[in-house]
């Protein structure tokens, strides 16, 4: 059934747009910054932010706003309705425990990956990753294997939603170059990232497939670049990821 504009609440949509402007890179923002990031005018952004603060979803110090833990209820409620986190967590814990490295599962949301489960043996990134955390798809191993499941046109369209900033000196920012890596991931069945998200971090990912052979998520290992060469990623970690991939195919919907 189609949904018409008159049946929707514009205020709710604007409030959600404001919440989405807060990221790991922008945890503390002024009204002007939120207005610029959300595309709303300052007056609307201000009303949304003050409403969030009044209802306990944000703190306000007179200049800057930050989200409070209360906002996690929104994401937690969503994750609680998804069977995927509950299904994958035991496998993720086992995989991480066996090899002593951090392992994660994410899904694709437009041009970003969203972490839905994680087993961390050690901190491998400067930012704290947890269920609900987001990273760009174009420069992450899980993002590339999930983009590889799309058609060429759809993958390119998602890469064109916004500019591709260089997170490090090694980040590929040209759409054609990223598309080449996506094609390689499609051919090989896995993707490797070498310090494109953050210097000192390498990762390897494979898609998680359901019984119909459709990609529903991705699983990866994230490792410090020191001591984890590219060959090591393939020889030591890829077989373990492939094993979990095969075991989970029968239980994923």
């Amino acid at each position: 059934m189609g949904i018409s504009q008159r049946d929707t609440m514009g205020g709710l949509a604007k409030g959600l747009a404001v919440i989405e402007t807060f990221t790991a890179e922008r945890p503390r923002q002024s009204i002007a910054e939120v207005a610029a990031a959300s595309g709303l005018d300052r007056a609307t952004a201000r009303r949304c932010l003050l409403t969030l603060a009044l209802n306990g979803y944000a703190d306000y110090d007179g200049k800057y706003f930050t989200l409070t833990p209360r906002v996690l209820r929104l994401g937690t409620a969503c994750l609680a309705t998804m069977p995927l986190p509950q299904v994958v967590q035991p496998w993720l814990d086992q995989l991480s425990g066996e090899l002593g490295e951090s392992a994660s599962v994410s899904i694709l949301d437009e041009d970003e990956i969203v972490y839905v489960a994680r087993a961390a043996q050690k901190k491998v990134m400067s930012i704290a990753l947890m269920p609900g955390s987001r990273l760009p798809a174009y420069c992450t191993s899980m993002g590339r294997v999930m983009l590889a499941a799309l058609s060429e046109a759809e993958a390119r369209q998602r890469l064109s939603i916004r500019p591709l900033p260089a997170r490090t000196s090694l980040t590929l920012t040209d759409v054609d170059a990223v598309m080449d890596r996506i094609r390689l991931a499609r051919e090989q069945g896995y993707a490797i990232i070498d310090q494109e998200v953050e210097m000192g971090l390498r990762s390897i990912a494979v898609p998680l497939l359901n019984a119909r052979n459709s990609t529903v998520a991705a699983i990866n290992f994230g490792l410090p670049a020191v001591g984890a060469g590219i060959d090591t990623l393939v020889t030591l970690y890829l077989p373990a990821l492939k094993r979990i991939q095969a075991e989970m195919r029968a239980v994923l919907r």
Side-chain angles (χ1 to χ4, degrees), residues 24-25 101-102 104 113 115 118 120-130 133-136 139-142 167-168 193 195-203 220-225:
E25 292 77 21
E101 301 292 349
S102 297
S104 305
I113 63 170
Y115 284 75
R118 182 163 168 79
Q121 295 291 325
K122 60 190 77 171
K123 188 173 181 180
V124 293
M125 290 188 68
S126 61
I127 62 173
L129 294 175
M130 62 191 73
S133 295
R134 289 173 175 266
L135 286 175
C139 60
T140 55
S141 58
M142 290 190 286
R167 295 177 64 99
T168 76
I193 293 295
Q195 305 181 84
E196 292 191 51
V197 178
E198 185 172 297
M199 293 305 295
L201 173 71
R202 291 187 177 122
S203 67
N220 88 334
F221 276 118
L223 309 99

Side-chain angles (χ1 to χ4, degrees), residues 123-232:
K123 188 173 181 180
V124 293
M125 290 188 68
S126 61
I127 62 173
L129 294 175
M130 62 191 73
S133 295
R134 289 173 175 266
L135 286 175
Y138 72 93
C139 60
T140 55
S141 58
M142 290 190 286
R144 287 185 183 169
V145 293
M146 287 189 285
L147 288 171
L150 305 176
S151 68
E152 288 274 313
E154 176 66 11
R156 183 175 290 275
Q157 186 275 328
R158 297 201 186 193
L159 292 176
S160 303
I161 290 176
R162 68 192 88 193
L164 310 182
R167 295 177 64 99
T168 76
S169 59
L170 299 177
T171 308
L172 295 180
T173 59
D174 178 73
V175 172
D176 288 333
V178 177
M179 286 298 299
D180 286 341
R181 297 299 177 88
I182 291 171
R183 293 186 193 100
L184 182 62
R186 188 180 296 123
E187 294 170 4
Q188 295 181 330
Y190 66 89
I192 289 177
I193 293 295
D194 185 7
Q195 305 181 84
E196 292 191 51
V197 178
E198 185 172 297
M199 293 305 295
L201 173 71
R202 291 187 177 122
S203 67
I204 181 169
V206 300
L208 288 178
L209 310 171
N210 62 19
R212 298 183 299 277
N213 210 38
S214 297
T215 296
V216 297
I219 184 171
N220 88 334
F221 276 118
L223 309 99
V226 177
I230 300 300
D231 291 342
T232 301

